[in-house]
Amino acid sequence: MNIIVTGIQPTGSGSPHMGNYLGAIKSIPKLIKSSEAYVMVADVHATTVDFEPSELKKSSLLTAASLIAAGVPDDIIFKQSCVPQHYELAIYLSHLASVGQMERMTQYKDKSEEKGVGFGLLSYPILMAADILSYNATTVPAGIDQHQHVQLAADLARKLNNKIGEDYLNIPKPKFTKNPKIMDILNPDKKMSKSSANQNGVLYLTDTIDIAVNKIKRATTDSKPYFTDGFDDQSDAIKNLIVIISELMEITTDDVCIQLQGKRYSDLKNMLISAYSEHIIPIKEQIDYMMNNNQSYINECIDAGSERAEKTSNSNVKIIRNKLGLGL
Ligand code: TYM
């Protein structure tokens, strides 16, 4: 049986961006067919950076609403902070990890130069490993930036199996989409990220059509007057826009290039605007509807989903606790 676990942080307003959507969220509904699946709003992870307690519940609600609006079944969504078994397993796993291994994590290395970096940033991947292993997951749908973290989870699963002398835990594997790294549309050498200094390069699911059009119009393109050649010959900026269009419209990147031959770069942007309004605006409208009229429904989903998640993770963590010689 395939056991799928994935998560998304409710940082910022809580709205996922196009990287989150195309790199992970959009693939979930298809992937989970005939699998057991758990999709979490990783609100505890969001506390590893500066955060505002009075905003966190709202942004978590918005993330959950976005997952539902994007087609993730409402009964598999839960909140990380509602399942404390993750923290218990994280402690056991942290005793199997080495400090050096944690310091080598790329996301930590990237941020560790910043002033006042918290310990949570170092221990973050262990909590993520616990998120995965407390469901005994086999598969983790995620963008490429989470590859190293899933590898750490696999390594800690092997170490724990070794310690208890049996293959109790599955060794989780990442599941990437065809395009697991969506780039910033303004600075195409950087991945699209909620923390980008210039937010004009980041398209959010909750952007109004006017805001999205504005961002797309400013997107970096090419200095050539007309669109020529196939996908492989395009610059990174153009490739990224083509990828976003192809993923939204579910056509190949070659098909996009064929449709654009001899046209202007403004036509490429218009194609993106029309794909955006056809595929993302309906999701935005559903998010808005839930947030404005039906927050109790989102809360009920989180409640029921968290109860279900806690049941599974409690029974797994109890077994692990016992196998480690702990508990009664
Ligand atoms: P987060 O919140 O940064 O991102 C959520 C998902 O979106 C993917 N992603 C991208 N994919 C393609 N292009 C991009 N530019 C891009 N930016 C983000 C991420 O890879 C991720 O799949 N630590 C995780 C959350 C988490 C988690 C877990 C994930 C907590 N526990 C357990 C899987 C399993 C994170 O910060 O994702």
Side-chain angles (χ1 to χ4, degrees):
M1 161 75 110
N2 236 5
I3 304 170
I4 291 183
V5 173
T6 194
I8 174 167
Q9 292 194 61
T11 31
S13 73
S15 173
H17 55 59
M18 206 49 58
N20 301 136
Y21 179 63
L22 299 179
I25 300 171
K26 184 169 175 269
S27 69
I28 298 172
K30 272 190 205 145
L31 272 180
I32 60 172
K33 283 192 183 133
S34 70
S35 302
E36 189 180 323
Y38 302 87
V39 179
M40 84 197 75
V41 176
D43 55 346
V44 182
H45 271 131
T47 65
T48 57
V49 290
D50 192 26
F51 72 105
E52 187 48 66
S54 60
E55 295 291 322
L56 191 52
K57 280 204 174 125
K58 189 173 171 218
S59 57
S60 297
L61 211 62
L62 182 59
T63 305
S66 307
L67 291 169
I68 297 170
V72 176
D74 57 9
D75 56 342
I76 64 169
I77 295 168
F78 72 101
K79 230 158 93 164
Q80 190 183 29
S81 61
C82 295
V83 188
Q85 284 78 2
H86 295 208
Y87 322 143
E88 181 183 341
L89 184 56
I91 290 284
Y92 304 150
L93 296 176
S94 71
H95 300 168
L96 295 169
S98 74
V99 174
Q101 185 175 30
M102 301 315 299
E103 284 175 343
R104 281 194 298 277
M105 293 285 124
T106 317
Q107 284 199 355
Y108 172 74
K109 279 202 296 194
D110 287 351
K111 293 188 185 161
S112 61
E113 302 296 307
E114 291 169 19
K115 245 172 71 194
V117 144
F119 178 71
L121 212 60
L122 186 67
S123 61
Y124 170 116
I126 292 184
L127 179 57
M128 179 163 157
D131 295 340
I132 296 167
L133 301 182
S134 57
Y135 300 89
N136 212 348
T138 55
T139 313
V140 182
I144 203 89
D145 60 343
Q146 298 300 319
H147 193 182
Q148 204 185 23
H149 294 161
V150 182
Q151 280 176 325
L152 176 80
D155 183 58
L156 293 175
R158 276 188 215 98
K159 283 187 172 152
L160 196 130
N161 284 346
N162 204 23
K163 181 53 100 188
I164 62 179
E166 64 174 288
D167 288 340
Y168 174 70
L169 285 173
N170 293 313
I171 308 302
K173 288 199 181 77
K175 176 85 186 161
F176 301 124
T177 59
K178 230 178 351 153
N179 295 293
K181 191 173 184 186
I182 301 296
M183 309 307 283
D184 186 292
I185 62 170
L186 208 54
N187 296 303
D189 51 329
K190 293 204 176 95
K191 79 166 180 176
M192 191 176 281
S193 165
K194 287 181 188 167
S195 57
S196 288
N198 189 340
Q199 289 285 299
N200 284 321
V202 187
L203 289 167
Y204 288 97
L205 292 190
T206 52
D207 281 345
T208 61
I209 188 68
D210 288 349
I211 291 177
V213 167
N214 236 312
K215 289 180 180 174
I216 293 168
K217 286 202 166 148
R218 291 176 196 205
T220 303
T221 52
D222 220 317
S223 51
K224 290 188 293 185
Y226 298 105
F227 190 101
T228 53
D229 304 322
F231 181 74
D232 291 340
D233 300 311
Q234 306 298 332
S235 66
D236 290 346
I238 301 295
K239 275 187 180 152
N240 189 43
L241 299 180
I242 294 173
V243 160
I244 297 176
I245 296 172
S246 77
E247 289 285 349
L248 289 177
M249 295 178 69
E250 298 192 349
I251 59 175
T252 66
T253 51
D254 285 344
D255 281 338
V256 178
C257 293
I258 289 166
Q259 290 189 39
L260 289 168
Q261 286 304 307
K263 298 200 172 157
R264 291 180 180 278
Y265 285 101
S266 56
D267 292 310
L268 167 70
K269 291 183 172 180
N270 286 337
M271 194 169 176
L272 177 53
I273 290 168
S274 111
Y276 191 93
S277 52
E278 186 179 344
H279 298 280
I280 302 300
I281 293 300
I283 296 177
K284 177 206 160 25
E285 285 170 354
Q286 234 188 303
I287 299 170
D288 287 349
Y289 180 81
M290 279 187 265
M291 291 302 287
N292 294 331
N293 307 297
N294 215 351
Q295 290 199 4
S296 56
Y297 161 67
I298 316 169
N299 274 318
E300 279 161 25
C301 294
I302 294 175
D303 244 25
S306 301
E307 205 177 304
R308 168 181 173 266
E310 184 169 15
K311 219 164 147 191
T312 310
S313 87
N314 191 39
S315 92
N316 258 320
V317 173
K318 197 168 164 191
I319 292 170
I320 294 169
R321 189 193 302 133
N322 265 307
K323 287 186 185 293
L324 285 169
L326 301 163
L328 290 177

